[in-house]
Amino acid sequence: MYGVTASPGTDRPAPPLALPDLARLQKRTSRVLIAGQVLGGLGVPISIALAPVLATEVSGTEALSGFASTASVIGTALVSLPLAALMTARGRRPGLVLAYGIGAVGAGLVVLAATIKSFPLLLVGMAAFGAASSANLQARFAAADLAAPDHRARAISVVVWASTLGAVLGPNLSAPASRSFAGTSIPETAGPFVWAAAVFVLTGALIAVLLRPDPLLTARALAAPEEQARGGHSIRAGIAAVKASPRARLALLTVAVSHTTMVSIMVMTPMDLSHHGAGLELVGLVISGHIAGMFAFSPLMGWLADRLGRLSVIGLAAGLLSVAALLAGTAGPSHGRSALGLFLLGLGWSAGMVAGSALLTDSVPQPARAAVQGLSDLTMNTAAGVGGAVSGVIMSQAGYGWLNAVGASLLLPMAALALFTARRHPADPKGVSS
């Protein structure tokens, strides 16, 4: 028997769960999260592709076109800790529903800003819109709440994989979403944000109705008494848990560095390709291959992390990202070399994200996990936001090759810490704890 959980449709304590019941509950939870991830993952890219264009139209200058996407990234980072605090206190479901709700309100503000031509309001709306991205990120951790320790990476990877559909279909739906508002008072470039708001509302409703019992509260009830007694449920307790665990610090660094390296190189690749004569179709194919590397192979990375260990896959991530930077940075006019480099960049990101997220969950006490996971997303998005901003400066001053060299250099402390942790702080062969 496995402790207590909640009665269907509530979060009140219920009779103990037997192992088969727990397995069925985990499968049901995963199916709900996958459905939510497909919907929520569709809402962000359907509109974010036109954010720079919309910012140019509202502000009247291309110089401010990048601020809309930057505001979204900042919003994703800023909401991470409050969202984690809410989940820590009330469970995954209220936090995810609130985040999608804020994202829907943000999309509405963007539409209003486009209609009245208010650039400050547009930035506020894009920052709130970023809350939906935070919900998409937090869903991967919700998948791990009830997973067995040696299946956590696979549980995380399946939810990451579910993002593939939205990432691929979203940008292709931008055009019909824009045309659907032709002849109305809503600018066509704001049309995708109307669609996104509807998608976020639908996703929040799905989570609110079907994600029962709450996976985090259930996992907390199932934890052994000695596990429940370790640490508290606050953000401060989460920070203390990371400080106390070398493996948690490695996991946090892995997620942040993998994401920052990927974002910094990826955002400047279209510009480099255009400098070497690539058209929009080719740029689109290269970025599509990159997205496939990010999401399509995440189940493989989860399987490897569970079978070979988290640290082994973190090492694989460092290797793939390094090779990707080498290929992309030295590609020049070779578009095939650029495409291969960007595909490996996505694959390395997938390895680092899945293994790092699983290691982070393994390495801290159950009561502190939600807080630590929110801290991870805050660190990851803040670092990537800085990296994306600095990458433009490096690109303009030194070139794309040097940008890739700087991105690869970020991997050195991650690889060094992984080796040090493996030698000085050994765990079981797979690096998995309960």
Side-chain angles (χ1 to χ4, degrees), residues 50-57 59 61-70 119:
L50 286 180
V53 179
L54 185 58
T56 299
E57 289 184 359
S59 67
T61 173
E62 288 187 0
L64 300 179
S65 62
F67 279 70
S69 298
T70 300
F119 188 67

Side-chain angles (χ1 to χ4, degrees), residues 247 250 301 304-320 351-352 355 359 414 418-419 422 429-431:
R247 288 178 172 267
L250 170 62
M301 297 305 173
L304 289 173
D306 283 336
R307 290 296 299 271
L308 302 181
R310 319 305 194 214
L311 298 186
S312 297
V313 178
I314 288 174
L316 175 63
L320 287 170
L359 181 61
M414 183 181 94
L419 289 173
K430 294 180 183 178

Side-chain angles (χ1 to χ4, degrees), residues 27-395:
K27 289 181 180 179
R28 181 177 182 276
T29 299
S30 294
R31 287 195 293 267
V32 173
L33 290 171
I34 288 169
Q37 195 74 348
V38 170
L39 281 173
L42 184 67
V44 174
I46 196 176
S47 49
I48 206 70
L50 286 180
V53 179
L54 185 58
T56 299
E57 289 184 359
V58 173
S59 67
T61 173
E62 288 187 0
L64 300 179
S65 62
F67 279 70
S69 298
T70 300
S72 178
V73 172
I74 292 173
T76 301
L78 289 179
V79 80
S80 297
L81 282 186
L83 185 61
L86 176 60
M87 289 183 178
T88 297
R90 302 286 301 278
R92 299 289 185 190
R93 189 175 67 253
L96 292 175
V97 171
L98 177 62
Y100 283 121
I102 294 173
V105 171
L109 291 176
V110 169
V111 175
L112 177 61
T115 303
I116 65 175
K117 301 297 182 183
S118 172
F119 188 67
L121 183 60
L122 175 69
L123 296 183
V124 172
M126 287 302 302
F129 183 86
S133 295
S134 187
N136 290 343
L137 289 170
Q138 282 291 315
R140 75 189 192 277
F141 290 121
D145 286 334
L146 296 174
D150 58 350
H151 284 77
R152 279 184 188 139
R154 274 170 279 190
I156 290 170
S157 69
V158 169
V159 172
V160 173
W161 171 83
S163 304
T164 307
L165 183 62
V168 172
L169 287 182
N172 295 304
L173 292 177
S174 295
S178 296
R179 289 194 297 269
S180 67
F181 289 90
T184 70
S185 59
I186 296 176
E188 289 189 30
T189 46
F193 286 91
V194 179
W195 284 35
V199 167
F200 293 154
V201 170
L202 180 60
T203 306
L206 182 146
I207 295 294
V209 172
L210 297 182
L211 195 64
R212 296 172 181 267
D214 191 282
L216 179 61
L217 299 183
T218 302
R220 190 173 292 165
L222 295 175
E226 59 270 19
E227 178 76 2
Q228 296 186 34
R230 294 172 59 196
H233 296 159
S234 66
I235 296 296
R236 181 176 297 178
I239 295 173
V242 172
K243 289 181 178 179
S245 172
R247 288 178 172 267
R249 294 197 295 271
L250 170 62
L252 203 64
L253 181 66
T254 296
V255 170
V257 168
S258 298
H259 194 57
T260 302
T261 300
M262 183 277 291
V263 169
S264 300
I265 295 174
M266 181 270 294
V267 295
M268 290 296 118
T269 297
M271 184 179 296
D272 180 69
L273 288 170
S274 65
H275 289 168
H276 291 96
L280 292 178
E281 294 81 3
L282 181 56
V283 171
L285 286 174
V286 171
I287 297 302
S288 294
H290 169 69
I291 292 172
M294 288 177 66
F295 299 115
F297 296 90
S298 57
L300 172 62
M301 297 305 173
W303 181 82
L304 289 173
D306 283 336
R307 290 296 299 271
L308 302 181
R310 319 305 194 214
L311 298 186
S312 297
V313 178
I314 288 174
L316 175 63
L320 287 170
L321 291 168
S322 298
V323 173
L326 176 64
L327 289 173
T330 59
S334 176
H335 297 150
R337 191 183 182 100
S338 294
L340 178 59
L342 264 290
F343 171 76
L344 292 178
L345 186 71
L347 205 60
W349 175 90
S350 180
M353 183 65 61
V354 170
S357 298
L359 181 61
L360 188 68
T361 303
D362 295 337
S363 303
V364 297
Q366 203 288 329
R369 282 176 185 164
V372 170
Q373 291 157 355
L375 179 64
S376 170
D377 283 351
L378 171 65
T379 304
M380 176 183 75
N381 285 292
T382 301
V386 173
V390 172
S391 65
V393 177
I394 297 175
M395 179 79 172

